[in-house]
Amino acid sequence: MEFSAIEIAGILHGEVQGDPNVRIDKLTKIEEAQTGSLSFLANPKYSHYLYHTRASAVIVNRTFVPEKAVTPTLIRVDDAYRAFSELLKCYDRSAADRVGIEKHSFIARSARLGDSVYIGAFSYVGAHVKLADRVRIYPHVYVGNGVEIGSDTVIFPGVRIYFNTRIGKRCTLHSNAVIGADGFGFAPNGENHYDKIPQTGNVVVEDFVEIGSGTTIDRATLGSTVIRTGVKLDNQIQIAHNVDLGSHTVIAAQTGIAGSTKVGENCMIGGQVGIVGHLNIGDRVRIAAQSGVTSDLPDDTTWFGSPAMAAKAYRKSFVYFRKLPEVVKCLESLEKRVGEMERGKDVR
Amino acid sequence: MEFSAIEIAGILHGEVQGDPNVRIDKLTKIEEAQTGSLSFLANPKYSHYLYHTRASAVIVNRTFVPEKAVTPTLIRVDDAYRAFSELLKCYDRSAADRVGIEKHSFIARSARLGDSVYIGAFSYVGAHVKLADRVRIYPHVYVGNGVEIGSDTVIFPGVRIYFNTRIGKRCTLHSNAVIGADGFGFAPNGENHYDKIPQTGNVVVEDFVEIGSGTTIDRATLGSTVIRTGVKLDNQIQIAHNVDLGSHTVIAAQTGIAGSTKVGENCMIGGQVGIVGHLNIGDRVRIAAQSGVTSDLPDDTTWFGSPAMAAKAYRKSFVYFRKLPEVVKCLESLEKRVGEMERGKDVR
Amino acid sequence: MEFSAIEIAGILHGEVQGDPNVRIDKLTKIEEAQTGSLSFLANPKYSHYLYHTRASAVIVNRTFVPEKAVTPTLIRVDDAYRAFSELLKCYDRSAADRVGIEKHSFIARSARLGDSVYIGAFSYVGAHVKLADRVRIYPHVYVGNGVEIGSDTVIFPGVRIYFNTRIGKRCTLHSNAVIGADGFGFAPNGENHYDKIPQTGNVVVEDFVEIGSGTTIDRATLGSTVIRTGVKLDNQIQIAHNVDLGSHTVIAAQTGIAGSTKVGENCMIGGQVGIVGHLNIGDRVRIAAQSGVTSDLPDDTTWFGSPAMAAKAYRKSFVYFRKLPEVVKCLESLEKRVGEMERGKDVR
């Protein structure tokens, strides 16, 4: 990828001030820019960087007036932040050009492939799989029997998708995510041993879902584990069997949700949170990082701590936890004073 | 998989009431059933679902007397719950029919394969590996040099087994588990740097063990990391070098056990628990989710919190943690009253 | 690997006492030794094991004087611990002999390979990749377009390296680590939905870095996520986009560091720690396991708890947390006594 400032101004409907032919080969924050970098300046708080930056070009608002001389070429646009975001999206789309079947892949005869599908080397596409148009499957992916994947979904290297999983359109699954492995279900038998409870359900992932690297989503014992439209899951998250995640809920890394818990829509769940099984979490619930949730949570509430409490209450209690040594000292001195008064009274 | 109600009644030694030819193509909970579903009704609490369900057939106890008209075909058996479990097991066994060597696999000449082994495409079986009868290795599995795997063990896609690992019979290893990578051992040298301590041992997994997706079990520095008979490990668990897990111990997702810790038999350990290294955890110990264990734990005890305390004591302390703002307010008002009394005395 | 005691004494410049021809086929701790084991005795605390061990040979200090008859062959050296460590290193190097390209691998034409490189079966080496001399890539590894890997680095099975990642020399990446997947960046749009923020940066891993199994390191939104020289990461660690880890910092398993946080040099971070985003952690900082860090931390400090406090202060507060029921009981009884005194006064 190499462009000139004038070419980029063309894409952004901007105006060039300075050398129009300067070469751009990367997008960089203004404070980290080097020769060849294109940066942007939107927040006036960062303007001072402009006078020292090594960037070759900087996108600025049309209304921006520099206070000193400026070395990089300026590209003036209506909204510098939005223009830079547009460029990032162009960049991202340009990575999305893989099409065709690479050699060394395994595709069952009964699999049905849409138009413009990409299947990378060493990927395995099982019997009766259905891949819609423009699905991209990178190398080393396992797609088990009977799996269906919607259009424009991207599956990165090393993802494992067990049999009968359903994945919607425009989803992204990152490397080494595992979808549809057995739920963790065992029944104690008489002798302190465990018998496995067969896990016969599946996983249903709806549209516009993103799933991070190493995240595991187990299939249901019966029925489906469901990840609804627009859910965003970070890396190394664990979703147990029969969980149901509501639309547009966002979960940060290393959080675990135990079996059969239902989470509402538009929730925001921090990293390393644990939620026990068989709970109902409402809509628009916020849960702080490292919290441990052990009871149902109503809509529009915020939680913190392990076990989790209303966030404000937890913070108040924690203020006094920090002061516990002082609190106890105060109590002890008070006890002494009361003892002295009591003895004083007795003496009288 | 498609059956008629009469065929299923035959398998279960049950009696059909209603249409014997209704077609069944899935097993479903009664509250989520659809056309084609076979469900069961064992707990009287759920009987009301029977009168509205869309299930095509429902297994009920022979003694069950409906209170209203019923649409689905009923299959009457001695014990509805047990009968349904039997069907689930049949279903599970039917998935277990893969045999043979798929093309694109790599099998070292010195590897020894038992009867009816399955090796999936893109799997790698190293030198001197021994696979017993009916071992099933799905695609994309790495079996390092000198590994031995017992009969009927199933290894799902993407599992990595480093050299010299021993795995017993009837084990299940889920996708992307890693067995036998280097333990995390480094010795500080003079210059604030670290030298690697070679990790020359291995991992021994005994029989009837289940290992979840993304779980990592490191090999010993010297000797063996041991996972004993019947242990069940959920997803994304970390077992460090030289750990020894006792028979039939069950551990939930995202728990980590540090180096050289010994865990007894029949323990139940919740999710996201951390146990530090070089500890002795007794038999039948229970540890609540998100606990942090920092000391040896005796047999038959229950623990909670971080650092972990006896579970009852932790819960009591936590009750007052919640009330800390009130406790402190009470202390402050008491201090005031005592101050007033002291001043009152002085005045007198 | 099989040696005689006299051969090992030769390697170690030691002296044999006992049968010089006894066969050695494994290295084992003295308390776990079996026939064929070579063990060592350095710490006098363990001497009693020597008189009962089943080891075939034991390395001891030249100055060691047994108190009773000894069965195993002794190999006397100047420093028994150091001699044993030397043997472990020999053992480790002997595993490092893989060279050449195994069949079933995929290597893009534009990739450039150094001397004595190993590429295992089913590994994928993308366009414009540069592998320096003696890089060893085990089976099932994905090396994306434009990745560069320095000399003597070892990549174990199933590692995924996204495009443009830079990895230094003498690094070790364990199975199923994922380097360079998209950072977790989404911008809420008007309708409670999220738009993806393109992640256009990369990951830079410097020299002598070790990365554990299942660890995930996301690429930067812009610029680079940086793992500096000598960093050691245990298994299942999550490093978010734009994090910068200082040289020789060591992190235990299952810890997560959120976006844009900068960690200093020579830090020691325990397991299951969470660090929120956009923080500055100083040099030589120590953070206890399961801590939750929510603010900047100065150099040379030690932290504990969630939210993290200075470790000493946390431990003090926790002592009183344990005693909270007693503290409250004490407060209640004091309140009673004060009430009685007040009433006494009123009566008077």
Side-chain angles (χ1 to χ4, degrees):
Chain A
M1 189 189 79
E2 212 188 79
F3 296 95
S4 65
I6 188 78
E7 285 169 334
I8 285 167
I11 296 169
L12 300 176
H13 307 291
E15 243 174 294
V16 173
Q17 177 180 343
D19 178 3
N21 298 316
V22 67
R23 307 305 297 171
I24 300 299
D25 61 6
K26 52 184 159 295
L27 306 174
T28 317
K29 287 188 218 172
I30 192 163
E31 63 269 35
E32 297 171 353
Q34 300 160 341
T35 306
S37 289
L38 172 65
S39 300
F40 75 104
L41 174 63
N43 188 335
K45 228 177 74 183
Y46 290 94
S47 325
H48 64 280
Y49 284 115
L50 184 64
Y51 311 110
H52 310 287
T53 184
R54 285 188 285 175
S56 295
V58 179
I59 302 172
V60 297
N61 291 333
R62 255 182 239 281
T63 55
F64 175 74
V65 183
E67 294 168 0
K68 306 188 203 172
V70 163
T71 315
T73 296
L74 299 184
I75 300 173
R76 293 179 168 281
V77 298
D78 290 342
D79 181 336
Y81 179 75
R82 178 180 296 238
F84 194 75
S85 301
E86 274 310 306
L87 280 186
L88 289 178
K89 278 181 201 157
C90 289
Y91 179 93
D92 221 42
R93 275 195 296 274
S94 75
D97 55 356
R98 297 194 180 201
V99 169
I101 314 292
E102 284 181 359
K103 63 177 178 173
H104 303 300
S105 54
F106 180 110
I107 302 176
R109 277 194 199 169
S110 55
R112 280 174 23 202
L113 274 54
D115 292 339
S116 305
V117 159
Y118 164 59
I119 296 182
F122 316 121
S123 272
Y124 185 103
V125 176
H128 307 292
V129 166
K130 288 181 199 166
L131 304 182
D133 296 346
R134 296 174 305 281
V135 164
R136 275 177 288 143
I137 296 193
Y138 276 73
H140 302 121
V141 170
Y142 176 82
V143 182
N145 296 343
V147 170
E148 298 182 13
I149 302 182
S151 57
D152 297 289
T153 283
V154 183
I155 316 278
F156 280 101
V159 171
R160 314 298 167 192
I161 307 176
Y162 282 55
F163 64 95
N164 291 349
T165 299
R166 297 281 170 279
I167 296 179
K169 62 185 182 196
R170 295 186 178 278
C171 294
T172 303
L173 277 68
H174 277 287
S175 279
N176 292 353
V178 179
I179 315 298
D182 285 358
F184 195 62
F186 298 91
N189 61 28
E191 318 152 60
N192 287 329
H193 299 181
Y194 292 89
D195 293 328
K196 185 173 174 68
I197 300 171
Q199 304 289 313
T200 69
N202 74 343
V203 175
V204 175
V205 174
E206 296 185 351
D207 305 332
F208 303 102
V209 170
E210 181 141 349
I211 297 176
S213 302
T215 283
T216 55
I217 304 177
D218 283 349
R219 73 170 179 272
T221 311
L222 291 171
S224 299
T225 304
V226 185
I227 312 297
R228 296 188 187 276
T229 296
V231 164
K232 310 296 179 192
L233 299 181
D234 200 349
N235 298 343
Q236 298 189 44
I237 287 172
Q238 150 70 0
I239 306 293
H241 47 179
N242 293 88
V243 164
D244 183 325
L245 291 186
S247 306
H248 306 293
T249 277
V250 175
I251 306 185
Q254 297 181 317
T255 282
I257 303 185
S260 301
T261 282
K262 193 174 164 12
V263 177
E265 299 181 3
N266 290 107
C267 294
M268 297 187 69
I269 302 181
Q272 298 182 336
V273 167
I275 305 184
V276 306
H278 300 276
L279 296 187
N280 261 290
I281 308 299
D283 295 338
R284 295 169 305 279
V285 170
R286 286 157 178 259
I287 305 175
Q290 291 194 330
S291 297
V293 177
T294 56
S295 61
D296 291 355
L297 303 182
D299 293 351
D300 298 294
T301 50
T302 303
W303 300 84
F304 185 22
S306 175
M309 298 166 47
K312 269 191 187 170
Y314 187 84
R315 286 206 181 84
K316 266 191 198 164
S317 278
F318 198 79
V319 163
Y320 293 113
F321 172 82
R322 282 176 189 274
K323 295 186 182 165
L324 266 183
E326 295 168 51
V327 168
V328 171
K329 204 175 271 179
C330 168
L331 177 61
E332 284 167 354
S333 101
L334 197 62
E335 200 174 20
K336 219 171 176 180
R337 283 156 65 188
V338 170
E340 278 166 12
M341 287 177 64
E342 287 171 339
R343 275 192 301 282
K345 221 173 53 180
D346 291 351
V347 168
R348 250 177 303 162
Chain B
M1 189 189 82
E2 210 187 83
F3 296 94
S4 66
I6 188 78
E7 284 169 333
I8 285 167
I11 297 169
L12 300 177
H13 308 289
E15 241 172 295
V16 172
Q17 175 179 343
D19 177 2
N21 297 317
V22 67
R23 305 307 296 172
I24 301 299
D25 62 6
K26 52 183 159 295
L27 306 175
T28 318
K29 288 189 219 173
I30 192 163
E31 62 270 35
E32 297 171 353
Q34 299 160 338
T35 307
S37 289
L38 173 65
S39 299
F40 76 102
L41 174 63
N43 187 333
K45 227 175 77 182
Y46 290 93
S47 325
H48 64 279
Y49 284 115
L50 184 63
Y51 311 110
H52 310 289
T53 185
R54 284 187 285 174
S56 294
V58 178
I59 302 172
V60 297
N61 291 333
R62 255 182 239 281
T63 55
F64 175 74
V65 183
E67 294 169 358
K68 306 186 201 172
V70 163
T71 316
T73 296
L74 299 185
I75 300 175
R76 293 180 168 279
V77 299
D78 290 341
D79 181 337
Y81 179 74
R82 177 180 296 240
F84 194 75
S85 301
E86 274 309 306
L87 281 185
L88 289 179
K89 278 180 201 159
C90 289
Y91 179 94
D92 221 41
R93 275 194 295 272
S94 76
D97 55 357
R98 296 194 182 202
V99 169
I101 314 291
E102 284 180 359
K103 65 175 176 175
H104 303 300
S105 54
F106 179 110
I107 303 175
R109 277 195 199 168
S110 54
R112 281 176 21 204
L113 274 54
D115 293 340
S116 306
V117 159
Y118 164 60
I119 297 181
F122 315 120
S123 273
Y124 185 102
V125 176
H128 308 291
V129 166
K130 289 182 198 165
L131 304 181
D133 297 346
R134 296 174 305 281
V135 165
R136 274 177 290 144
I137 296 192
Y138 276 73
H140 302 120
V141 170
Y142 176 81
V143 183
N145 296 343
V147 170
E148 298 183 11
I149 302 181
S151 57
D152 298 290
T153 283
V154 183
I155 315 277
F156 280 101
V159 171
R160 313 298 168 192
I161 307 176
Y162 282 54
F163 64 95
N164 291 348
T165 298
R166 298 279 171 279
I167 296 179
K169 61 186 183 196
R170 294 186 178 278
C171 293
T172 303
L173 277 68
H174 278 286
S175 278
N176 292 354
V178 180
I179 316 297
D182 285 357
F184 195 63
F186 298 92
N189 60 29
E191 319 153 60
N192 286 329
H193 300 180
Y194 291 90
D195 294 328
K196 186 174 174 70
I197 299 171
Q199 304 289 313
T200 67
N202 72 346
V203 175
V204 174
V205 175
E206 296 185 352
D207 305 333
F208 304 102
V209 170
E210 182 142 347
I211 296 176
S213 301
T215 284
T216 55
I217 304 177
D218 283 350
R219 74 170 178 272
T221 312
L222 291 170
S224 299
T225 303
V226 186
I227 313 297
R228 296 189 187 276
T229 295
V231 164
K232 310 296 179 194
L233 299 181
D234 200 350
N235 298 343
Q236 298 188 44
I237 287 171
Q238 151 70 0
I239 306 293
H241 47 179
N242 293 88
V243 164
D244 184 325
L245 291 185
S247 307
H248 307 292
T249 277
V250 176
I251 306 184
Q254 297 180 317
T255 282
I257 304 186
S260 300
T261 282
K262 193 173 165 13
V263 177
E265 300 181 2
N266 291 107
C267 294
M268 296 187 69
I269 302 180
Q272 298 182 336
V273 167
I275 306 185
V276 306
H278 300 275
L279 295 187
N280 261 290
I281 308 299
D283 295 337
R284 297 170 303 281
V285 171
R286 286 156 177 260
I287 304 175
Q290 290 193 330
S291 297
V293 178
T294 57
S295 61
D296 291 354
L297 303 182
D299 294 351
D300 299 295
T301 50
T302 303
W303 300 84
F304 186 23
S306 174
M309 298 166 47
K312 267 191 188 169
Y314 187 85
R315 286 206 182 85
K316 264 191 201 164
S317 278
F318 199 81
V319 163
Y320 293 112
F321 172 83
R322 281 177 189 274
K323 294 185 183 166
L324 266 182
E326 295 167 50
V327 168
V328 171
K329 203 174 270 178
C330 169
L331 176 61
E332 284 167 353
S333 100
L334 197 60
E335 200 173 20
K336 218 171 176 181
R337 284 157 62 188
V338 170
E340 279 167 11
M341 287 176 64
E342 287 171 338
R343 273 192 302 282
K345 225 172 51 179
D346 292 350
V347 168
R348 249 176 304 158
Chain C
M1 190 189 80
E2 210 187 80
F3 297 94
S4 65
I6 188 77
E7 285 169 333
I8 286 167
I11 296 168
L12 301 176
H13 308 292
E15 241 174 296
V16 172
Q17 175 180 342
D19 178 2
N21 297 317
V22 67
R23 306 305 297 170
I24 300 301
D25 62 5
K26 54 182 158 294
L27 306 176
T28 317
K29 287 189 221 173
I30 192 164
E31 63 269 36
E32 297 171 353
Q34 299 160 339
T35 306
S37 289
L38 172 65
S39 300
F40 75 103
L41 174 62
N43 186 335
K45 227 176 77 182
Y46 290 94
S47 326
H48 63 279
Y49 283 115
L50 184 64
Y51 311 110
H52 310 289
T53 183
R54 284 186 285 173
S56 295
V58 178
I59 302 172
V60 297
N61 292 332
R62 255 182 240 283
T63 55
F64 176 74
V65 183
E67 294 168 359
K68 307 187 201 172
V70 163
T71 315
T73 296
L74 299 184
I75 300 174
R76 293 179 169 279
V77 298
D78 290 342
D79 181 336
Y81 179 74
R82 179 180 296 238
F84 194 75
S85 301
E86 275 309 308
L87 281 185
L88 288 178
K89 278 180 202 159
C90 290
Y91 179 93
D92 221 40
R93 276 195 296 272
S94 75
D97 55 357
R98 297 194 180 201
V99 169
I101 313 292
E102 283 180 359
K103 63 176 178 176
H104 304 300
S105 53
F106 179 111
I107 302 176
R109 278 194 199 170
S110 55
R112 280 173 25 201
L113 274 54
D115 293 340
S116 305
V117 159
Y118 164 60
I119 297 181
F122 315 121
S123 272
Y124 184 103
V125 176
H128 307 292
V129 166
K130 288 182 200 166
L131 304 181
D133 297 346
R134 296 173 306 282
V135 165
R136 274 177 288 142
I137 296 192
Y138 277 73
H140 302 120
V141 170
Y142 176 81
V143 183
N145 295 343
V147 170
E148 298 183 12
I149 303 182
S151 57
D152 298 289
T153 283
V154 184
I155 315 277
F156 280 101
V159 171
R160 313 298 168 192
I161 306 177
Y162 282 55
F163 64 96
N164 290 349
T165 299
R166 298 281 171 278
I167 297 179
K169 60 187 185 197
R170 294 187 178 278
C171 293
T172 303
L173 276 69
H174 278 286
S175 279
N176 292 355
V178 179
I179 315 298
D182 284 359
F184 194 63
F186 299 92
N189 59 30
E191 318 153 59
N192 285 328
H193 300 182
Y194 291 90
D195 293 328
K196 185 172 175 70
I197 300 171
Q199 304 289 314
T200 68
N202 74 344
V203 175
V204 174
V205 175
E206 296 184 351
D207 305 333
F208 303 102
V209 171
E210 181 142 350
I211 297 176
S213 301
T215 283
T216 55
I217 304 177
D218 283 350
R219 75 170 177 272
T221 311
L222 291 170
S224 300
T225 304
V226 186
I227 313 297
R228 297 189 187 277
T229 296
V231 164
K232 311 296 180 193
L233 299 180
D234 200 350
N235 298 343
Q236 298 189 43
I237 287 172
Q238 151 70 358
I239 306 293
H241 47 179
N242 292 87
V243 164
D244 183 326
L245 292 185
S247 308
H248 307 292
T249 277
V250 176
I251 306 184
Q254 298 180 318
T255 282
I257 303 186
S260 300
T261 282
K262 195 174 162 12
V263 177
E265 299 182 1
N266 292 106
C267 294
M268 296 187 69
I269 302 180
Q272 299 182 336
V273 167
I275 305 184
V276 305
H278 299 277
L279 296 187
N280 261 290
I281 308 299
D283 296 338
R284 296 168 304 280
V285 171
R286 287 157 177 259
I287 305 175
Q290 292 193 329
S291 297
V293 177
T294 57
S295 61
D296 291 354
L297 303 182
D299 294 351
D300 298 295
T301 50
T302 303
W303 300 83
F304 185 24
S306 174
M309 298 165 48
K312 268 191 187 170
Y314 187 85
R315 286 208 181 82
K316 264 191 200 162
S317 277
F318 199 80
V319 163
Y320 293 113
F321 172 83
R322 282 177 190 274
K323 293 185 184 165
L324 266 182
E326 294 167 51
V327 168
V328 171
K329 204 175 269 176
C330 168
L331 176 62
E332 285 166 353
S333 101
L334 197 61
E335 199 173 22
K336 219 173 177 178
R337 283 156 63 188
V338 170
E340 278 167 12
M341 287 176 64
E342 287 171 338
R343 275 192 303 282
K345 223 172 53 180
D346 292 349
V347 168
R348 253 178 300 160

